[in-house]
Coordinates of all heavy atoms in Angstrom, one line a residue:
D23 N 0.8 -1.2 0.0 CA 0.0 0.0 0.0 C 0.8 1.3 0.0 O 0.4 2.3 0.5 CB -0.9 0.0 1.2 CG -2.0 -1.1 1.1 OD1 -2.3 -1.5 0.0 OD2 -2.5 -1.5 2.2
A24 N 2.0 1.2 -0.5 CA 2.9 2.4 -0.5 C 2.2 3.5 -1.3 O 2.3 4.7 -0.9 CB 4.3 2.1 -1.1
G25 N 1.6 3.2 -2.4 CA 0.9 4.2 -3.2 C 1.8 5.4 -3.5 O 2.9 5.2 -4.0
D26 N 1.3 6.6 -3.2 CA 2.1 7.8 -3.5 C 2.8 8.3 -2.2 O 3.1 9.5 -2.0 CB 1.3 8.9 -4.0 CG 0.1 9.2 -3.1 OD1 -0.1 8.6 -2.1 OD2 -0.7 10.2 -3.4
A27 N 3.2 7.4 -1.3 CA 3.9 7.7 0.0 C 5.2 8.5 -0.4 O 5.9 8.1 -1.3 CB 4.2 6.5 0.8
R28 N 5.4 9.5 0.4 CA 6.6 10.3 0.1 C 7.8 10.0 1.1 O 8.9 10.4 0.8 CB 6.2 11.8 0.2 CG 5.2 12.3 -0.8 CD 5.0 13.7 -0.7 NE 4.4 14.2 0.6 CZ 5.0 15.0 1.4 NH1 6.2 15.5 1.1 NH2 4.4 15.3 2.5
Y29 N 7.5 9.3 2.2 CA 8.6 9.0 3.1 C 8.5 7.5 3.5 O 7.5 6.9 3.5 CB 8.4 9.9 4.4 CG 8.5 11.3 4.2 CD1 7.3 12.1 3.9 CD2 9.7 12.0 4.2 CE1 7.4 13.5 3.7 CE2 9.8 13.3 4.0 CZ 8.7 14.1 3.7 OH 8.7 15.4 3.5
T30 N 9.7 7.0 3.9 CA 9.8 5.7 4.5 C 10.3 5.8 6.0 O 11.0 6.7 6.3 CB 10.8 4.8 3.7 OG1 12.1 5.4 3.8 CG2 10.4 4.7 2.3
F31 N 9.8 4.8 6.7 CA 10.1 4.8 8.2 C 10.4 3.4 8.5 O 9.7 2.4 8.2 CB 8.8 5.3 8.9 CG 9.0 5.4 10.4 CD1 10.1 5.9 11.0 CD2 7.9 4.8 11.2 CE1 10.2 6.0 12.4 CE2 8.0 4.9 12.6 CZ 9.1 5.5 13.2
E32 N 11.6 3.2 9.2 CA 12.0 1.8 9.5 C 12.4 1.8 11.0 O 13.6 1.8 11.4 CB 13.2 1.4 8.7 CG 12.9 1.3 7.2 CD 14.0 0.7 6.4 OE1 15.0 0.2 7.0 OE2 14.0 0.8 5.1
P33 N 11.4 1.7 11.9 CA 11.8 1.6 13.4 C 12.3 0.2 13.7 O 12.1 -0.7 12.9 CB 10.4 1.8 14.0 CG 9.4 1.3 13.0 CD 10.0 1.7 11.7
S34 N 12.9 0.1 14.8 CA 13.4 -1.2 15.3 C 12.5 -1.6 16.5 O 12.1 -0.8 17.3 CB 14.9 -1.1 15.8 OG 15.7 -0.8 14.7
F35 N 12.3 -2.9 16.6 CA 11.6 -3.5 17.8 C 12.6 -4.4 18.5 O 13.5 -5.0 17.9 CB 10.4 -4.4 17.4 CG 9.2 -3.7 16.8 CD1 8.1 -4.4 16.4 CD2 9.2 -2.3 16.7 CE1 7.0 -3.7 15.9 CE2 8.1 -1.6 16.3 CZ 7.0 -2.3 15.8
A36 N 12.5 -4.4 19.9 CA 13.3 -5.2 20.7 C 12.5 -5.8 21.9 O 11.7 -5.1 22.5 CB 14.6 -4.5 21.2
Y37 N 12.8 -7.0 22.2 CA 12.2 -7.6 23.4 C 13.1 -8.6 24.0 O 14.0 -9.2 23.3 CB 10.8 -8.3 23.1 CG 10.9 -9.5 22.2 CD1 11.0 -10.7 22.7 CD2 10.9 -9.3 20.8 CE1 11.1 -11.8 21.9 CE2 11.0 -10.4 20.0 CZ 11.1 -11.7 20.5 OH 11.2 -12.7 19.7
F38 N 13.0 -8.8 25.3 CA 13.9 -9.8 26.0 C 13.2 -11.1 26.1 O 12.0 -11.2 26.4 CB 14.2 -9.3 27.4 CG 15.5 -8.5 27.5 CD1 15.5 -7.2 27.2 CD2 16.7 -9.2 27.8 CE1 16.7 -6.5 27.2 CE2 17.9 -8.5 27.8 CZ 17.9 -7.1 27.5
R39 N 13.9 -12.2 25.9 CA 13.4 -13.5 26.1 C 13.0 -13.7 27.5 O 13.7 -13.3 28.5 CB 14.5 -14.5 25.8 CG 14.1 -16.0 25.7 CD 15.3 -16.8 25.3 NE 15.7 -16.5 23.9 CZ 16.9 -17.0 23.4 NH1 17.7 -17.7 24.1 NH2 17.2 -16.7 22.1
G40 N 11.8 -14.2 27.7 CA 11.2 -14.3 29.1 C 10.4 -13.2 29.6 O 9.9 -13.2 30.7
S41 N 10.3 -12.1 28.7 CA 9.6 -10.9 29.1 C 8.0 -11.1 29.0 O 7.3 -10.2 29.4 CB 10.0 -9.7 28.3 OG 9.7 -9.9 26.9
G42 N 7.6 -12.2 28.3 CA 6.2 -12.3 28.0 C 5.9 -11.9 26.6 O 4.7 -12.2 26.1
W43 N 6.8 -11.3 25.9 CA 6.6 -11.0 24.5 C 7.2 -12.0 23.6 O 8.3 -12.6 23.8 CB 7.2 -9.6 24.2 CG 6.6 -8.4 24.8 CD1 6.9 -7.8 26.0 CD2 5.4 -7.7 24.3 NE1 6.1 -6.8 26.3 CE2 5.2 -6.7 25.3 CE3 4.6 -7.9 23.2 CZ2 4.1 -5.8 25.1 CZ3 3.6 -7.0 23.0 CH2 3.3 -6.0 24.0
Q44 N 6.5 -12.3 22.5 CA 7.0 -13.1 21.4 C 7.0 -12.3 20.1 O 6.2 -11.4 20.0 CB 6.2 -14.4 21.2 CG 6.1 -15.3 22.5 CD 7.4 -15.9 22.9 OE1 8.3 -16.2 22.0 NE2 7.6 -16.2 24.1
R45 N 7.8 -12.7 19.1 CA 7.7 -11.9 17.9 C 6.4 -11.9 17.2 O 5.9 -11.0 16.6 CB 8.8 -12.4 16.9 CG 8.7 -13.8 16.4 CD 9.8 -14.1 15.5 NE 9.7 -15.4 14.9 CZ 10.5 -16.0 14.0 NH1 11.6 -15.3 13.7 NH2 10.3 -17.2 13.5
E46 N 5.6 -13.1 17.4 CA 4.3 -13.1 16.8 C 3.3 -12.1 17.4 O 2.4 -11.6 16.8 CB 3.7 -14.5 17.1 CG 4.3 -15.6 16.3 CD 5.6 -16.1 16.9 OE1 6.0 -15.7 18.0 OE2 6.3 -16.9 16.3
D47 N 3.6 -11.7 18.7 CA 2.8 -10.7 19.3 C 2.9 -9.3 18.7 O 2.1 -8.4 18.9 CB 3.2 -10.5 20.8 CG 3.0 -11.8 21.6 OD1 2.1 -12.6 21.2 OD2 3.8 -12.0 22.6
L48 N 4.0 -9.1 17.9 CA 4.3 -7.8 17.4 C 3.7 -7.5 16.0 O 3.7 -6.4 15.5 CB 5.8 -7.6 17.3 CG 6.6 -7.9 18.6 CD1 8.1 -7.7 18.4 CD2 6.1 -7.1 19.8
V49 N 3.2 -8.6 15.4 CA 2.7 -8.4 14.0 C 1.5 -7.6 13.9 O 1.5 -6.6 13.1 CB 2.5 -9.8 13.4 CG1 1.8 -9.7 12.0 CG2 3.8 -10.6 13.3
A50 N 0.5 -7.9 14.7 CA -0.8 -7.1 14.6 C -0.6 -5.6 15.0 O -1.0 -4.7 14.2 CB -1.8 -7.7 15.5
P51 N 0.2 -5.3 16.1 CA 0.4 -3.8 16.3 C 1.2 -3.2 15.2 O 0.9 -2.0 14.9 CB 1.2 -3.9 17.6 CG 0.9 -5.2 18.3 CD 0.6 -6.1 17.2
A52 N 2.2 -3.9 14.6 CA 3.0 -3.3 13.5 C 2.1 -3.0 12.3 O 2.3 -2.0 11.7 CB 4.1 -4.3 13.2
R53 N 1.2 -3.9 12.0 CA 0.3 -3.7 10.9 C -0.6 -2.4 11.1 O -0.8 -1.6 10.2 CB -0.6 -4.9 10.6 CG 0.1 -6.1 10.0 CD -0.8 -7.3 9.9 NE -0.1 -8.4 9.2 CZ -0.6 -9.6 9.2 NH1 -1.7 -9.9 9.9 NH2 0.1 -10.6 8.6
Q54 N -1.1 -2.3 12.3 CA -2.0 -1.1 12.6 C -1.1 0.1 12.6 O -1.6 1.2 12.1 CB -2.7 -1.3 14.0 CG -3.8 -0.3 14.1 CD -4.7 -0.8 15.3 OE1 -4.4 -1.6 16.1 NE2 -5.9 -0.2 15.3
L55 N 0.1 0.1 13.1 CA 1.0 1.2 13.0 C 1.2 1.6 11.5 O 1.1 2.8 11.2 CB 2.3 0.8 13.6 CG 3.5 1.8 13.3 CD1 3.3 3.1 14.0 CD2 4.8 1.2 13.8
A56 N 1.4 0.7 10.6 CA 1.7 1.0 9.2 C 0.4 1.6 8.6 O 0.5 2.6 7.9 CB 2.0 -0.3 8.5
A57 N -0.8 1.1 8.9 CA -2.0 1.7 8.4 C -2.2 3.1 8.9 O -2.7 4.0 8.1 CB -3.2 0.8 8.8
I58 N -1.9 3.4 10.1 CA -2.2 4.7 10.7 C -1.2 5.7 10.1 O -1.6 6.9 9.7 CB -2.1 4.7 12.2 CG1 -3.3 3.9 12.8 CG2 -2.0 6.1 12.8 CD1 -3.2 3.7 14.3
L59 N 0.1 5.4 10.0 CA 1.1 6.3 9.4 C 0.9 6.6 7.9 O 1.3 7.6 7.4 CB 2.5 5.8 9.7 CG 2.9 5.8 11.1 CD1 4.4 5.4 11.2 CD2 2.7 7.1 11.8
A60 N 0.2 5.6 7.2 CA -0.1 5.8 5.8 C -0.9 7.1 5.5 O -0.8 7.6 4.4 CB -0.8 4.6 5.3
Q61 N -1.7 7.5 6.5 CA -2.5 8.7 6.4 C -1.6 9.9 6.0 O -2.0 10.9 5.4 CB -3.2 9.1 7.7 CG -4.2 8.0 8.1 CD -4.8 8.5 9.5 OE1 -5.6 9.4 9.6 NE2 -4.3 7.8 10.5
C62 N -0.4 9.9 6.5 CA 0.6 11.0 6.4 C 1.6 10.8 5.2 O 2.6 11.5 5.2 CB 1.3 11.3 7.7 SG 0.3 11.7 9.1
G63 N 1.3 9.8 4.4 CA 2.2 9.5 3.3 C 3.5 8.9 3.8 O 4.6 9.1 3.2
V64 N 3.5 8.1 4.9 CA 4.6 7.4 5.4 C 4.5 5.9 5.2 O 3.5 5.3 5.5 CB 4.8 7.7 6.9 CG1 6.0 6.9 7.5 CG2 5.0 9.2 7.1
H65 N 5.5 5.3 4.6 CA 5.5 3.9 4.3 C 6.6 3.2 5.1 O 7.6 3.7 5.3 CB 5.7 3.7 2.8 CG 5.7 2.2 2.3 ND1 4.5 1.5 2.4 CD2 6.7 1.4 1.9 CE1 4.8 0.3 1.9 NE2 6.1 0.2 1.7
M66 N 6.3 2.0 5.5 CA 7.2 1.2 6.3 C 7.7 0.0 5.5 O 7.0 -1.0 5.4 CB 6.6 0.8 7.6 CG 6.3 1.9 8.5 SD 5.3 1.5 10.0 CE 6.2 0.1 10.6
P67 N 8.9 0.0 4.9 CA 9.3 -1.1 4.1 C 9.6 -2.3 5.0 O 9.5 -3.5 4.5 CB 10.6 -0.6 3.4 CG 10.6 0.9 3.5 CD 9.8 1.2 4.8
R68 N 10.1 -2.1 6.2 CA 10.4 -3.2 7.1 C 10.6 -2.7 8.5 O 10.8 -1.5 8.8 CB 11.7 -3.9 6.6 CG 12.9 -3.0 6.7 CD 14.1 -3.7 6.1 NE 15.2 -2.7 5.9 CZ 16.4 -3.0 5.3 NH1 16.5 -4.2 4.7 NH2 17.3 -2.1 5.2

């Protein structure tokens, strides 16, 4: 959905083993983040 996005944004995620977080837990929040920032013409390649 990059469309006519003018900027790219590549944040990093980090979690500690044993913290209660798994990488699978991060997928849904990351997708919603990408959709919200798309309003401003910001695309997240990775």
Side-chain angles (χ1 to χ4, degrees):
D23 294 336
D26 58 355
R28 296 184 299 119
Y29 296 95
T30 60
F31 181 47
E32 297 186 13
S34 298
F35 288 179
Y37 65 91
F38 268 86
R39 189 176 295 168
S41 65
W43 291 97
Q44 303 290 336
R45 65 182 183 178
E46 291 79 7
D47 300 329
L48 309 182
V49 173
R53 286 174 175 169
Q54 196 163 16
L55 166 67
I58 291 172
L59 293 185
Q61 300 174 76
C62 298
V64 175
H65 182 69
M66 294 171 51
R68 62 187 172 188

